[in-house]
């Protein structure tokens, strides 16, 4: 018996080590990719100051996310500025605190099964999430660019971008996000009022594409004169 | 007889190989140049998401185009992300599917004898192709920048930029493009409604110049307050 | 006695040399960092022409600042284009004249204990400092981005950005700055009318973050239609 | 006699060679600097298409200018794309045709003794030169940025930026430029209607600074809501 147990423990250990090692590689890849994305978004003015935060799922069972530490310049992220966190927002790799909004990332990963979550603070999303707050969201319709959103096949698609009231209570806000995702099946993103955009994708490239598309469409709305229509 | 046939076949083969080889070089050059153009346009925000598509004629007899595969980030195109297609949009080199709008590229190459076709999705063209749709197009007149369009000699030139209704039926849209080109001889581009700009040139540098000029003039119109005049 | 004196003098000398050497390192580091910041700000159009000026405290006792020379292109600052100045704006290292606004930098360092002061001339600050001059300042409230300002914990924070009348009399303007800082405890920056933004931080990274945040919020205000509300 | 003559000829030849060689160095330096300026301006969207043209005086006696060839992408100028021309716009070095507007460069060099002339086609100058054409110019006053213009000491300075009617007749337009410079002593630039900005400086750095300052102020005017005031 003892021997079997020992063997099991060895098997277990080697599995754990394999998992650690596999996650280590995925973590490093995700961190490198997120740093590159951050650099590009910072150049476009979408994550100025230390705004914005990014995550990528690196393991599903158990759930593990690579996520940016809080309070960093997103234009020059270094590998050591990323954390690995579990499904309860505990840090399991790296030093530092995850973004305050880690709970929102987890709510999105849990709610829609996203593999990557990107949050930006552009001028466009700040302006429109303020001017359209009373309507509860923004309708995007008729634009060819919508076809770049996963699963959308025609410009006649109507995309609803809900606007959630901003809050510093992340537990409350996380629940609000989960409820919004349940009530608006199929959406590709949402806005926090005078705060910014959350979007996601099956992987990082899809999430990055969604950021570019939604930020583009918000800019189109502002420049079309929609900024003060709210 | 047999020997002659064999020799003819050899001659034929060596011609085919020569053609393949010549096209291979032109294909590689066109791909490198289009990748560079894509990088610059992406930086300016003219091909965000995976929007836009580019092609260049690399052979006239038979007709062969280098064209971007569908669904790619135009800011980081790699050589293997281009396809060679024939006059019926069949892929003859490379893996992947050409852009859905390949038929529009062929309609333009056939209609005006263009050597390169570039399609961009800027904020400016999206805004104006929506606001001016009812007029069927946009008139550009009096601007010195017009002189950069091939064959234009004075700022007094009046350039008509037709706006076509957007559609996901590429056969129908291709015919609409051909008809527009027949009815508007001498134009340098057209807009698809809430979609973007198509322009072209004898070669890639001329087509790139036309993109810069037309996007510039559309930006001028929006900033002059023309965005809501439609 | 003589020996002791000599030793004291040696100790003093070696302290002075140590100070010089320590400051030399800090000066070089500050200059390199400010050059990098200048390059980024110039790319964003925040310090065009030879506008803007930057400083960093490299020693408190005695007070020493690294500061840009006057009249330089902030997009390509070289190490030899920085000066070290004392608490009376005397140059103690390097050739050239400090920015005319050196006295404002000293007023800010003295008034709020800043470790770095950054001054930018963006389009946004120029427009709003003109349109809102009659109100004496601009209120920023409700924006998540405010949380990036040091010490701010919620988007409900109300940041007051005073607008001071512009002047070429730097002694007068320096006194006006000191008075403004005394009367508005806790502010993170101020505007000079039709001139630009001054902000600061405990160190250079914090000051750079404050520039990005305040410039962002001013851009949001202009694009929200606030440009002509003054 | 014969010997003396020969010697004189040798002296003359060696002087001519010395001049050629000195100009060759200055020409190469000016071309490198103008290429760098072109790259930066193209990135900002100030010389899209093949718009804009640049020159620098490399010799006064006799007058020689390095100037861009016509019809080039200003974002990627190579040394061989510059020409050396004399006071009558004859090409004395390099292949190609100088910009059609070479006569305007000569009119400015002759009229105000400029050492460098830069011409840009920004969105801002195109918009405002159209909207303010009826007033004959644009007044810039009260902006700190004005102090970056050579010789200006206070933001209270009033800069008059004349707007000239555009024309394709360069002889007529050159005379109009000369007349404008005689009648508006001390100006730092002028606009051609719906065409763009001309400015200059004692040297290239000063001219580049003037472009940045005037383009900045035109952008401020448009964003302040002045675009439709004409």
């Amino acid at each position: 018996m003892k021997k079997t147990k020992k063997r099991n423990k060895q098997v277990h250990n080697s599995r754990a080590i394999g998992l650690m090692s596999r996650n280590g590689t995925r973590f490093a890849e995700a961190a490198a990719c997120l740093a590159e994305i951050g650099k590009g978004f910072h150049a476009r003015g979408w994550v100025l100051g230390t705004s914005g935060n990014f995550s990528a799922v690196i393991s599903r069972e158990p759930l593990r996310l690579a996520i940016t530490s809080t309070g960093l310049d997103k234009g020059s992220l270094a590998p050591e500025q990323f954390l690995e966190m579990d499904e309860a927002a505990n840090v399991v790799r790296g030093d530092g605190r995850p973004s305050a909004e880690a709970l929102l990332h987890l709510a999105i990963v849990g709610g829609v099964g996203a593999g990557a979550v990107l949050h930006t603070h552009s001028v466009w999303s700040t302006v429109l999430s303020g001017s359209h707050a009373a309507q509860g969201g923004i309708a995007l319709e008729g634009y060819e660019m919508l076809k770049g959103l996963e699963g959308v096949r025609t410009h006649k698609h109507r995309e609803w971008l809900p606007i959630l009231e901003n809050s510093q209570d992340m537990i409350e806000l996380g629940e609000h996000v989960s409820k919004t995702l349940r009530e608006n099946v199929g959406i590709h993103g949402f806005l926090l009022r005078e705060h910014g955009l959350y979007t996601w994708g099956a992987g990082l490239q899809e999430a990055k594409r969604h950021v570019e598309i939604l930020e583009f469409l918000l800019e189109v709305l502002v420049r079309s004169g929609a900024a003060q229509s709210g």
Side-chain angles (χ1 to χ4, degrees), chain A:
Chain A
M1 262 275 299
K2 207 182 170 187
K3 215 171 177 179
T4 315
K5 252 189 169 174
K6 201 179 170 184
R7 179 175 266 177
N8 280 352
K9 204 181 163 188
Q10 281 178 332
V11 168
H12 181 78
N13 275 356
S14 85
R15 271 189 197 148
I17 290 165
L19 180 69
M20 281 294 287
S21 160
R22 193 200 61 187
N23 279 6
T25 306
R26 290 187 181 171
F27 178 79
E29 286 168 357
C33 188
L34 287 167
E36 189 64 23
I37 287 173
K39 196 177 166 187
F41 285 4
H42 190 260
R44 290 194 197 273
W46 292 347
V47 286
L48 291 182
T50 55
S51 72
N53 41 68
F54 316 141
S55 72
V57 173
I58 57 172
S59 156
R60 291 277 175 193
E61 298 275 346
L63 186 66
R64 294 285 184 274
L65 277 75
I67 190 165
T68 40
S69 290
T70 190
L72 298 172
D73 180 343
K74 302 306 179 297
S76 57
L77 289 169
E80 65 271 19
Q81 295 179 319
F82 288 87
L83 305 171
E84 184 175 331
M85 73 173 188
D86 66 15
E87 80 290 349
N90 297 311
V91 174
V92 298
R93 187 192 307 260
D95 296 318
R97 220 156 36 86
S99 289
E101 286 135 327
L103 293 179
L104 309 193
H105 287 249
L106 288 167
I108 293 167
V109 168
V112 298
V117 179
L118 299 176
H119 169 41
T120 50
H121 280 226
S122 76
V123 166
W124 318 110
S125 64
T126 304
V127 168
L128 287 174
S129 64
S131 63
H132 286 65
Q135 289 97 314
I138 296 169
L140 300 164
E141 190 171 7
Y143 297 108
E144 179 72 13
M145 190 62 96
L146 289 164
K147 277 177 62 193
L149 297 174
E150 197 57 27
V152 175
R153 297 276 168 265
T154 168
H155 61 285
K156 292 177 180 165
H157 172 76
R158 184 175 188 274
E159 179 76 19
W160 179 246
L161 200 60
I163 300 172
L164 283 66
E165 197 59 37
N166 196 21
S167 168
Q168 300 307 326
D169 179 338
M170 288 301 140
I171 293 173
E172 182 192 85
L173 197 50
E175 287 168 1
H176 196 173
V177 166
S178 296
K179 186 166 171 282
T180 300
L181 294 175
R182 280 195 307 274
E183 293 174 354
N184 296 274
V185 175
I187 58 171
H188 294 81
F190 59 82
L191 299 174
L192 297 182
R193 182 176 181 171
E194 292 180 334
H195 179 156
L197 169 72
Y198 269 88
T199 185
W200 51 83
L204 270 172
Q205 290 313 313
E206 188 176 308
K208 172 175 176 273
R209 197 176 83 216
H210 288 172
V211 170
E212 292 190 7
I213 290 167
L214 294 171
E215 291 290 2
F216 173 91
L217 291 170
L218 294 173
E219 182 177 345
V220 164
L221 280 197
V222 174
R223 296 205 190 272
S224 294
Q228 291 162 304
S229 72

